[in-house]
Amino acid sequence: MSFVPLLKQALKANPYYCTEQLVSKGFPYLLFGENNNSEIQRVTNIIQSRQKSDGEIQLYPGNHTTRHFISLYALHFLQEARMRGFVVSENVLKKIGNYIKQEFNNISKLREKAYALYLLTRMEVVTTPYLKKVDAEVAVLVKKFTDDQIPMGG
C-alpha cells in the first residue's frame, strides 16, 4: 500500500487547518505528482490570503502570534507550487522574503535560520551576511560544547 494515500487521508480528516496543516496537506499533492490541481491551488490561495501587511503568514486568520517557522514553511510550499505552474503572486513571495530578511536576527532556532537561508537563496537573495551570522552562532555553540566536554581535574 502506498504511503501517499494514507498521508492524504490523515490530513483530510484534520478539521483545524492552521497554516502548518494546510501546507502539510498540500505538499503530498504537489510533490508526488497527484493530479489534484484544484486542491493545490485552493491551499495556495488560502496561504496567500493569510499574509499580514509585514509579509508574515499567520497561523490562523486573525492570529497575530509570530511563528517564523510558519512563514518559512508557507514560503517553501508557495515556491514549489509556483515552480510547478500554480498561480502564486510575486508580491506575496517578495513580501515573505522581505519579512524573513527583516526578522532573521529574531529567529531563535538555528534549524529555522538554516531553512531561511535555503529559501532566501532559492529567491536569488545574496545570503552571505546572514550566513556569517549563523556561522558565528555555531562557533559559539561549538566552543561551549567543547568547553563543557573537557574533564575538570586530573
Side-chain angles (χ1 to χ4, degrees):
M1 178 175 254
S2 173
F3 168 74
V4 176
L6 292 174
L7 178 61
K8 289 192 309 190
Q9 186 61 35
L11 292 168
K12 191 174 189 177
N14 190 333
Y16 300 107
Y17 296 125
C18 69
T19 299
E20 184 175 6
Q21 292 159 333
L22 280 168
V23 172
S24 294
K25 179 181 180 187
F27 259 129
Y29 291 110
L30 194 61
L31 298 179
F32 296 115
E34 299 292 318
N35 292 325
N36 198 334
N37 292 349
S38 62
E39 182 63 18
I40 295 169
Q41 192 61 60
R42 185 182 79 79
V43 169
T44 300
N45 293 343
I46 292 170
I47 292 168
Q48 292 179 95
S49 74
R50 292 188 179 178
Q51 187 172 51
K52 294 173 29 183
S53 61
D54 66 356
E56 179 187 19
I57 301 295
Q58 299 172 320
L59 183 61
Y60 290 100
N63 180 289
H64 300 292
T65 303
T66 299
R67 298 208 176 133
H68 298 108
F69 176 76
I70 300 303
S71 293
L72 295 169
Y73 196 36
L75 175 59
H76 191 182
F77 180 82
L78 294 175
Q79 287 176 339
E80 293 292 337
R82 188 158 196 209
M83 276 180 30
R84 288 164 173 77
F86 292 93
V87 178
V88 177
S89 165
E90 180 67 28
N91 189 48
V92 168
L93 294 173
K94 284 182 181 178
K95 282 176 71 175
I96 300 172
N98 287 335
Y99 168 77
I100 292 168
K101 289 187 286 185
Q102 291 170 351
E103 284 291 309
F104 191 82
N105 290 332
N106 296 323
I107 298 173
S108 60
K109 297 177 181 173
L110 278 174
R111 66 177 174 255
E112 289 180 11
K113 285 185 178 183
Y115 197 19
L117 286 168
Y118 167 69
L119 297 171
L120 290 171
T121 300
R122 290 184 71 180
M123 297 176 75
E124 299 181 0
V125 171
V126 175
T127 56
T128 308
Y130 306 105
L131 186 57
K132 287 180 180 179
K133 291 176 185 178
V134 169
D135 187 49
E137 286 182 49
V138 169
V140 168
L141 289 174
V142 167
K143 179 167 178 15
K144 181 181 179 334
F145 177 77
T146 55
D147 288 350
D148 289 348
Q149 299 302 312
I150 297 172
M152 301 301 283

